[in-house]
Amino acid sequence: MKSPRKRVGRQQHRVRSVSARASLDTGVDSKADALQRERDEALEQQKATSEVLRVIAESAGKLEPVFQSILTHAVRLCGAKFGNLWLREGDNFRIAATHGAPQRYRDYFRRNPLVHPHPKSGLGRITMTRRTIQVADIRAAPTYGDKMRTATIKLSGARTLIGVPMLKDGALIGVISVYRQEVRPFTAKQIAIIQNFANQAVIAIENTRLLNELRESLQQQTATADVLKVISRSPGDLGPVFDSILINATRICEASFANLVLFDGHECRMVAMHNAPKAYGDLRSRETSFLPTGTPTGRVVETKRPLHIADLSADKAFANSRMVKLAGARSTLGVPMLKDDQAIGAVLIYRQEVRPFTEKQIALMTNFAAQAVIAIENARLLNELRQRTDDLSEALDQQTATSEVLKVISSSPGELEPVFNSMLENATRICSAKFGTLFLAEGDDRYRTAALYGAPPAFAEARWRNPVLWAIPGTGLGRTAASKKAVQIADIRLEPAYTGDPSRSSILKLAGARTMLNVPMLKENEIVGQIGIYRQEVRPFTDKQIALVTNFAAQAVIAIENTRLLKELRESLEQQTATSDVLKVIASSTGELDPVFSAMLANAARLCQANYGALWLRQGDNWRATAMHGALPPTYIERWRSGAWFNPGPNAPMPRTVVSRQPVHIPDMREDISYHEGGALPVSAVEVAGIRTLLCVPMQRENETIGVITIYRTEVKPFSGKQIELLTNFAAQAVIAIENARLLNELRQRTDDLTESLEQQTATSQVLSVISSSPGELNPVFDAILENATRICDASFGALLMREGRNFRRAAIHNAPPAMAENWERRPVIEPGQAPMVDRAAAGKTVLHFADVAAEFPDDPMTKFAGARSLVVVPMLKDGELIGMIGIYRQVVQPFSEKQVALLLGLEQPRVLDGDHRLVGEGRQQLDVIGGEMRRLTPRYSDGSDG
């Protein structure tokens, strides 16, 4: 068993061992904690540094977020109360950022932004040494500047200060100051942290400076490019260029407003303003020009150098200027616009606070002024080019317009409407007019509207409704008619001739015309018309435009004259053609007058522009209408073209031509004596046919009026001398046609007589030839007789019957229809009572002529089997005795003529029948001759028993 002392000793040993181990463990833990704290502080510093770098990267060109981030992390990591970041401005410092400072402290430095440090103050010592300084207790620092000390101690409660310089290439550009409100100096690590932040601030400032310079350069280049774009987009138009220059100059140079002034060597003219105060802008906009003396602009153009005034109100020469009083201008920069070392203007920018412009801004403004000069020079050259181009274009337009009008004249020969329309269209277009009118003179100071172009619809409708105007004194028409020169009225509303005359006010009320130009159309110094062009605004026409319209007026006169000559030529050609046509009809219508008269009236009505025409023939005091032309009323045609002769009375137009042997021209039938006397023909002409103007021309043959040609118009419009002459020519042709027809008919009659005699002799010769060549044979003789008889008498078929006692036998037939021929072959003998026509011919021993045998003997075999209609039967007699008969037939109702019967009998005289179709004179003797010859040739029928 162990003793108690030993147990106590072992316990004490164990206690000492535990205590030693505990002590060892505690030292190890403290060291680990310190290392961990250092690690955590390093991580925080790295994290803060990373955060500041991120803000620098994200805030490109913006320093305030960077400065705030730096101060935030510096104050927090250094266990301080607040901090400031100062930027140096010459010998002064300005707070660029603060964090955690009391509000009263911030307000103080907002009111006093610039601090000029005492040499022995913290900022002063840093300025001199370029080193970090620490003031353990600001209150105990005797050399601290009174103002800074008061502000720092009283307003912020600061006690301990650390100030770290911000150096770039050894030059001090700012200071970071961190403050504690208790006396507790900053450690070396904390100072190192702030120095690191100071380096980051310098980097941020330098990056921002470089970025701002880059931005400024880009802005300047962009502004220059913008101005050049405007110059290229607005060639010759300086307004947009000047506006772009002022807008860019004001923006990039951070100015309040700007002006651009042009100088002509004597006066200045404000041509552009941007963002100018209203009072100053209104004043300048009312001034067209001003003398440069005693103005900043004047000094710029006089010296030809940039003018930079830090404070315009502090300059005695300009302190009381309108620029200061009305516009509130303070800092001012003006640069001259130089061309060939001469000032032609100036560009001026203004700030409404005292803040001088930089050298870069002055250089930029000089560049803008040079661009303005380039734009002005380009505009001058372009305007000169445009003027030349405009002159050439104007000349080309005029030549083109003239060419177009001449082309229309050539393509529309004799048609004036297309020419006038083309002329007005070109005149109004080239002269920048709204609409145009062309008038033609009608004598007695009257003008008729011949063409309108571009006129307002209401005005055009009114003008066409009343196309004739009087050339009233004081009006455009009147003045031009009186002077025979171009007349221009600058403002129609100021002319009493228009405002005082309701009939002339339509040019104002309906057309809205203000400026008018009237140009005369002269032919041998006589006005034949006028061209008027109008504008709806007060804007006089130029001399060039007046000359152009004068040229168009001359072309219009040429077109009118050409049309007149062409119309005369056409009329002459038409008359010759019409005469030729009538002569052709006369030649082709041998002896027929209707085609001649129809062609004559159609041509006369067409060439004389008449509605109707008629040709009347005379017989003593009586007249008859032989031809009419035109859409005359049916009742009129029916009454006067019936073919009956009538006596129109001595005062009717037709008898008056007989007395005078001259044309009778009645302008208005309602005013003529023949109408008022109530003559049937004149009253019918007026009331039924609507005739108003009449021309009646006599048809003279050997000083005797044999007829008249009359043409009519349904309106009161007298015929011209040329038309009367033309109708007289047609009347002479009508006489020629009538005489030709008479002579031709006489010739035809003689020819027909000779032809018939020749045919008769030829037929007789043929029959005799057959008789001589066929002695004792009757059939060839009978066939020859029938063939010649049907042919000469234009019959369809024929038959020859020979008597046999009381009967008749068919001895020959020619060209009989098959049914009839078949019937005759079956029944060759005709007994009494079987053929009434044969019975009648046998009983009368004379010629029988039936116009339509079917009407008298519908059941006769000739009608039933042969379709006979017209018929002639000639008896064959010997010594007064009937031995046979010849019959010829037509299958249409067309009676035979006396000549054909005479030919059938072999006579030379046409009259062989009396009114009852009985033979007379030589006709009966000829039958006896033919009968005797036939008896001689037919001995078998000569005994009494046979016939």
Side-chain angles (χ1 to χ4, degrees):
M1 189 173 175
K2 294 181 180 179
S3 64
R5 185 176 295 197
K6 287 184 179 180
R7 286 198 302 273
V8 171
R10 284 198 296 272
Q11 290 175 352
Q12 290 176 347
H13 177 71
R14 283 198 297 272
V15 170
R16 284 196 298 272
S17 298
V18 170
S19 297
R21 285 198 301 274
S23 177
L24 181 60
D25 290 341
T26 298
V28 172
D29 290 342
S30 297
K31 189 174 182 180
D33 291 341
L35 291 173
Q36 186 172 356
R37 283 196 298 276
E38 288 180 0
R39 185 195 64 186
D40 291 342
E41 290 174 358
L43 287 174
E44 283 192 20
Q45 291 178 22
Q46 291 177 8
K47 187 176 180 181
T49 300
S50 175
E51 179 66 19
V52 170
L53 293 175
R54 184 186 63 77
V55 173
I56 291 173
E58 292 179 355
S59 304
K62 298 180 182 179
L63 289 172
E64 185 177 353
V66 178
F67 292 163
Q68 288 293 338
S69 179
I70 286 174
L71 289 178
T72 299
H73 290 294
V75 169
R76 180 176 60 78
L77 292 177
C78 294
K81 181 63 178 176
F82 67 94
N84 298 331
L85 191 147
W86 306 80
L87 290 181
R88 188 177 182 184
E89 294 183 3
D91 294 334
N92 300 320
F93 285 87
R94 180 194 299 272
I95 291 181
T98 184
H99 174 73
Q103 186 63 44
R104 294 187 304 164
Y105 180 81
R106 294 200 302 272
D107 292 342
Y108 173 79
F109 283 106
R110 190 176 296 112
R111 293 191 301 272
N112 302 280
L114 289 178
V115 174
H116 186 73
H118 190 277
K120 293 187 178 181
S121 67
L123 287 177
R125 289 159 58 191
I126 292 173
T127 301
M128 290 186 292
T129 63
R130 311 288 195 271
R131 293 182 180 178
T132 301
I133 62 101
Q134 181 169 203
V135 180
D137 188 355
I138 298 173
R139 293 182 181 178
T143 59
Y144 207 81
D146 290 340
K147 281 181 115 180
M148 285 288 293
R149 182 177 183 184
T150 300
T152 305
I153 294 173
K154 289 186 176 182
L155 299 178
S156 69
R159 298 296 298 275
T160 299
L161 160 68
I162 180 71
V164 177
M166 294 160 52
L167 302 174
K168 178 183 176 295
D169 298 331
L172 179 67
I173 62 172
V175 174
I176 295 178
S177 300
V178 179
Y179 303 87
R180 286 177 173 156
Q181 290 180 322
E182 71 278 3
V183 176
R184 182 159 59 91
F186 293 92
T187 65
K189 287 184 178 180
Q190 293 170 337
I191 294 171
I193 290 172
I194 297 173
Q195 288 175 338
N196 182 43
F197 282 134
N199 293 333
Q200 289 179 342
V202 171
I203 293 170
I205 291 171
E206 182 63 13
N207 287 348
T208 299
R209 182 187 67 80
L210 294 174
L211 187 59
N212 285 339
E213 287 182 357
L214 178 61
R215 280 178 174 169
E216 288 177 1
S217 177
L218 288 175
Q219 282 181 337
Q220 293 178 16
Q221 293 177 17
T222 302
T224 300
D226 289 344
V227 172
L228 293 176
K229 283 180 183 177
V230 175
I231 291 173
S232 64
R233 279 200 311 265
S234 308
D237 188 0
L238 291 172
V241 178
F242 293 160
D243 290 341
S244 178
I245 287 174
L246 293 185
I247 290 170
N248 281 284
T250 303
R251 176 176 56 82
I252 296 175
C253 295
E254 300 174 351
S256 303
F257 61 96
N259 300 331
L260 193 147
V261 176
L262 293 182
F263 179 61
D264 62 3
H266 178 64
E267 289 183 332
C268 290
R269 181 166 54 91
M270 187 76 68
V271 296
M273 287 189 293
H274 174 66
N275 208 33
K278 188 175 185 306
Y280 178 76
D282 291 344
L283 176 66
R284 278 303 186 199
S285 64
R286 293 195 298 269
E287 296 178 346
T288 57
S289 61
F290 60 93
L291 294 173
T293 307
T295 63
T297 304
R299 189 177 296 180
V300 173
V301 297
E302 287 173 3
T303 62
K304 305 176 190 177
R305 294 171 180 264
L307 173 67
H308 186 199
I309 302 175
D311 188 355
L312 206 61
S313 64
D315 192 313
K316 292 181 179 180
F318 311 116
N320 295 319
S321 65
R322 290 181 296 186
M323 185 63 71
V324 174
K325 291 183 177 181
L326 296 178
R330 301 297 294 275
S331 293
T332 301
L333 172 62
V335 293
M337 294 159 52
L338 300 176
K339 179 181 178 293
D340 299 331
D341 200 35
Q342 295 296 319
I344 61 171
V347 183
L348 296 98
I349 58 174
Y350 306 89
R351 286 175 176 159
Q352 292 175 312
E353 75 276 3
V354 177
R355 181 157 59 94
F357 294 94
T358 66
E359 294 297 327
K360 287 184 178 180
Q361 291 169 338
I362 295 173
L364 176 63
M365 288 298 297
T366 303
N367 181 43
F368 279 134
Q371 288 180 339
V373 173
I374 292 171
I376 292 172
E377 183 64 11
N378 286 348
R380 183 188 66 80
L381 294 174
L382 187 59
N383 286 337
E384 287 181 359
L385 178 60
R386 279 179 173 169
Q387 185 60 49
R388 292 187 62 189
T389 303
D390 289 344
D391 292 342
L392 292 173
S393 297
E394 189 175 332
L396 182 59
D397 281 346
Q398 294 180 15
Q399 292 176 8
T400 302
T402 301
S403 175
E404 288 177 357
V405 172
L406 293 176
K407 189 183 295 182
V408 173
I409 291 174
S410 64
S411 62
S412 306
E415 297 180 25
L416 288 173
E417 185 178 355
V419 177
F420 291 162
N421 289 335
S422 176
M423 203 168 285
L424 282 181
E425 179 181 358
N426 282 282
T428 53
R429 175 177 57 82
I430 296 176
C431 296
S432 302
K434 182 64 178 177
F435 64 97
T437 308
L438 191 145
F439 304 94
L440 291 180
E442 290 192 346
D444 298 328
D445 290 331
R446 293 195 314 164
Y447 288 85
R448 179 177 294 275
T449 304
L452 284 173
Y453 175 78
F459 175 76
E461 181 182 355
R463 179 56 55 84
W464 287 125
R465 196 167 52 245
N466 299 291
V468 178
L469 297 180
W470 290 89
I472 298 173
T475 63
L477 280 174
R479 294 182 191 179
T480 305
S483 65
K484 298 181 180 179
K485 294 181 180 179
V487 171
Q488 178 166 207
I489 298 177
D491 191 351
I492 303 174
R493 287 186 181 177
L494 303 180
E495 296 296 326
Y498 291 95
T499 56
D501 187 351
S503 66
R504 296 292 171 143
S505 62
S506 63
I507 196 72
L508 289 169
K509 294 179 180 179
L510 299 180
R514 297 296 298 274
T515 296
M516 170 197 297
L517 172 63
N518 267 47
V519 175
M521 294 158 51
L522 298 173
K523 178 180 178 288
E524 297 176 356
N525 204 35
E526 291 297 326
I527 291 184
V528 298
Q530 295 187 31
I531 294 177
I533 59 174
Y534 310 84
R535 285 175 174 157
Q536 291 179 321
E537 72 278 1
V538 177
R539 182 160 58 94
F541 295 94
T542 65
D543 291 340
K544 287 184 178 180
Q545 292 168 337
I546 295 173
L548 174 65
V549 180
T550 303
N551 181 44
F552 280 132
Q555 289 179 345
V557 173
I558 293 171
I560 292 171
E561 185 63 12
N562 287 348
T563 299
R564 184 187 66 81
L565 295 173
L566 186 60
K567 185 176 181 182
E568 290 181 356
L569 178 61
R570 280 179 173 170
E571 288 177 354
S572 176
L573 289 174
E574 284 180 341
Q575 292 177 18
Q576 292 176 19
T577 303
T579 301
S580 175
D581 290 343
V582 171
L583 293 176
K584 285 180 182 177
V585 174
I586 292 174
S588 61
S589 304
T590 52
E592 296 181 23
L593 290 173
D594 285 346
V596 177
F597 293 160
S598 296
M600 199 171 290
L601 289 178
N603 280 285
R606 176 175 58 83
L607 295 178
C608 296
Q609 299 172 351
N611 300 100
Y612 314 132
L615 191 145
W616 309 80
L617 292 180
R618 174 177 173 245
Q619 202 173 71
D621 293 333
N622 296 320
W623 298 81
R624 177 171 61 90
T626 59
M628 288 187 177
H629 172 78
L632 284 158
T635 55
Y636 184 87
I637 296 174
E638 182 180 353
R639 180 171 185 181
W640 301 112
R641 203 179 179 184
S642 61
W645 295 88
F646 69 97
N647 188 334
N651 288 322
M654 296 176 294
R656 282 150 65 180
T657 62
V658 177
V659 176
S660 66
R661 297 181 181 178
Q662 297 292 329
V664 172
H665 186 199
I666 303 175
D668 189 354
M669 280 292 294
R670 287 186 179 273
E671 304 296 328
D672 191 64
I673 184 174
S674 62
Y675 174 74
H676 288 287
E677 286 181 348
L681 180 60
V683 171
S684 175
V686 174
E687 303 298 336
V688 178
I691 293 170
R692 298 299 298 273
T693 297
L694 175 146
L695 175 61
C696 184
V697 175
M699 295 160 51
Q700 299 283 336
R701 183 179 68 186
E702 298 177 357
N703 293 325
E704 180 187 2
T705 301
I706 63 172
V708 295
I709 296 180
T710 308
I711 56 175
Y712 315 92
R713 283 177 176 158
T714 55
E715 59 181 328
V716 177
K717 184 181 178 185
F719 293 95
S720 67
K722 288 185 178 179
Q723 291 169 337
I724 296 174
E725 181 183 350
L726 175 63
L727 194 62
T728 302
N729 182 42
F730 279 129
Q733 289 180 342
V735 172
I736 293 171
I738 292 173
E739 186 64 14
N740 286 349
R742 185 186 65 81
L743 294 173
L744 188 60
N745 287 334
E746 289 181 0
L747 178 62
R748 278 178 174 168
Q749 185 62 47
R750 294 184 62 187
T751 303
D752 289 345
D753 293 343
L754 292 172
T755 301
E756 290 174 359
S757 176
L758 180 62
E759 286 183 344
Q760 180 183 357
Q761 293 175 16
T762 302
T764 302
S765 174
Q766 289 177 352
V767 171
L768 294 176
S769 175
V770 173
I771 290 173
S772 64
S773 62
S774 305
E777 295 182 21
L778 289 175
N779 287 337
V781 177
F782 292 162
D783 289 339
I785 289 172
L786 286 180
E787 181 183 354
N788 281 280
T790 54
R791 175 176 57 80
I792 294 174
C793 294
D794 195 21
S796 301
F797 61 97
L800 190 147
L801 306 179
M802 293 302 295
R803 187 174 181 181
E804 292 180 352
R806 296 180 61 197
N807 300 329
F808 286 89
R809 178 182 296 278
R810 295 178 179 87
I813 58 174
H814 174 72
N815 205 34
M820 190 70 229
E822 183 181 351
N823 181 58
W824 281 350
E825 287 180 3
R826 289 198 314 268
R827 302 178 61 185
V829 177
I830 301 174
E831 296 177 356
Q834 291 181 343
M837 291 180 291
V838 174
D839 293 343
R840 184 180 296 184
K845 299 180 182 180
T846 186
V847 175
L848 294 180
H849 184 199
F850 298 94
D852 187 1
V853 69
E856 192 167 353
F857 304 104
D859 296 328
D860 189 275
M862 299 301 295
T863 303
K864 295 172 64 176
F865 295 104
R869 301 300 296 273
S870 293
L871 162 67
V872 64
V873 179
V874 178
M876 295 163 54
L877 300 175
K878 181 179 183 296
D879 298 329
E881 293 296 326
L882 181 69
I883 64 171
M885 60 183 71
I886 297 174
I888 57 173
Y889 309 84
R890 285 179 177 154
Q891 291 175 311
V892 294
V893 178
Q894 185 183 350
F896 294 92
S897 68
E898 288 188 357
K899 287 184 179 181
Q900 290 169 333
V901 175
L903 288 172
L904 190 61
L905 293 171
L907 297 177
E908 293 185 0
Q909 298 298 325
R911 187 66 179 166
V912 295
L913 302 177
D914 61 13
D916 295 325
H917 300 289
R918 293 176 300 187
L919 285 173
V920 296
E922 295 184 9
R924 184 166 294 279
Q925 297 173 9
Q926 186 67 23
L927 282 176
D928 289 341
V929 172
I930 295 175
E933 186 67 20
M934 294 300 295
R935 174 74 70 180
R936 184 182 66 80
L937 294 172
T938 55
R940 58 177 175 156
Y941 298 117
S942 62
D943 59 341
S945 61
D946 291 336

